[in-house]
Amino acid sequence: MKKYNFTGRGKALFLFSVLFAAGLASCEENSKDLVKPKTVTDILAENEQFSILNDIVKGTDASDAFRTENFTFFAPNNAAFQAANLTASQVLAWKKDSVMSFLRYHVLAQRHTTSELKTQDYKMLNNQIINLAKGSDSTIVINKNATVIVKNVNTDNGIIQVINRILTKK
């Protein structure tokens, strides 16, 4: 009678079992390993080109509002504030209602990509109207002075359209 040697197969099965168990254990979720969704507030805080706007948002305690809404934010970058000769401390020196109205004038209550935006008037969160015009080359101009220079920055709670001028009444 022939003897079969299962030692090699047994070792291979044991090794496979150990590797499989180790693989399962390494798949365990760890909260520090999960990718957290970024909100509009997170993007403003992380990006140096929005440092003035971020200081204004933080100074008015509007950070939480920008974490919970589903909106389109026409976010002026630092160059936009410099073109208007405005600093965060100057804006924060205004009455709080005025600062909040200023911020809300840059926020559209619905989430819109640039392809969804049309040439028309839009009512902003402060109940004032902006005029948006789309050019044939897909440029977007707001109130005849601000241009969208970075389009469709998606966040977990909205879309940022970066503009090169602060929005002022038309």
Side-chain angles (χ1 to χ4, degrees):
M1 197 177 228
K2 216 177 194 185
K3 273 184 153 182
Y4 291 98
N5 188 355
F6 290 104
T7 339
R9 288 185 189 163
K11 287 179 184 177
L13 182 61
F14 176 75
L15 181 60
F16 175 76
S17 300
V18 168
L19 289 175
F20 182 74
L24 283 178
S26 69
C27 289
E28 185 178 307
E29 283 189 13
N30 186 343
S31 64
K32 66 182 175 191
D33 293 337
L34 297 177
V35 175
K36 305 284 190 238
K38 292 191 179 196
T39 64
V40 168
T41 305
D42 296 332
I43 298 297
L44 296 179
E46 293 173 1
N47 195 321
E48 188 57 37
Q49 74 171 319
F50 297 118
S51 62
I52 296 171
L53 182 59
N54 184 49
D55 288 346
I56 295 168
V57 169
K58 287 189 325 191
T60 58
D61 296 325
S63 297
D64 288 339
F66 286 121
R67 289 186 189 280
T68 58
E69 300 289 326
N70 192 21
F71 56 91
T72 303
F73 189 31
F74 294 100
N77 60 13
N78 288 347
F81 282 96
Q82 292 162 354
N85 292 318
L86 280 176
T87 64
S89 58
Q90 287 172 317
V91 174
L92 290 171
W94 302 345
K95 292 180 182 175
K96 186 171 182 173
D97 291 345
S98 297
V99 178
M100 291 306 293
S101 180
F102 170 80
L103 288 173
R104 289 182 181 129
Y105 191 54
H106 291 78
V107 179
L108 184 58
Q110 301 86 22
R111 186 181 192 121
H112 290 289
T113 63
T114 52
S115 63
E116 296 167 336
L117 292 168
K118 303 191 179 344
T119 297
Q120 67 182 43
D121 289 344
Y122 287 91
K123 188 176 184 179
M124 305 307 278
L125 276 186
N126 70 347
N127 293 318
Q128 293 182 347
I129 304 296
I130 64 164
N131 176 265
L132 189 138
K134 284 182 88 168
S136 58
D137 60 351
S138 76
T139 59
I140 296 177
V141 178
I142 305 163
N143 292 351
K144 298 181 182 177
N145 72 337
T147 302
V148 175
I149 56 173
V150 178
K151 300 174 181 177
N152 305 326
V153 178
N154 284 307
T155 68
D156 188 50
N157 64 331
I159 294 180
I160 299 172
Q161 308 294 351
V162 181
I163 56 177
N164 66 345
R165 297 283 185 268
I166 63 169
L167 296 182
T168 55
K169 295 175 187 164
K170 50 180 180 163

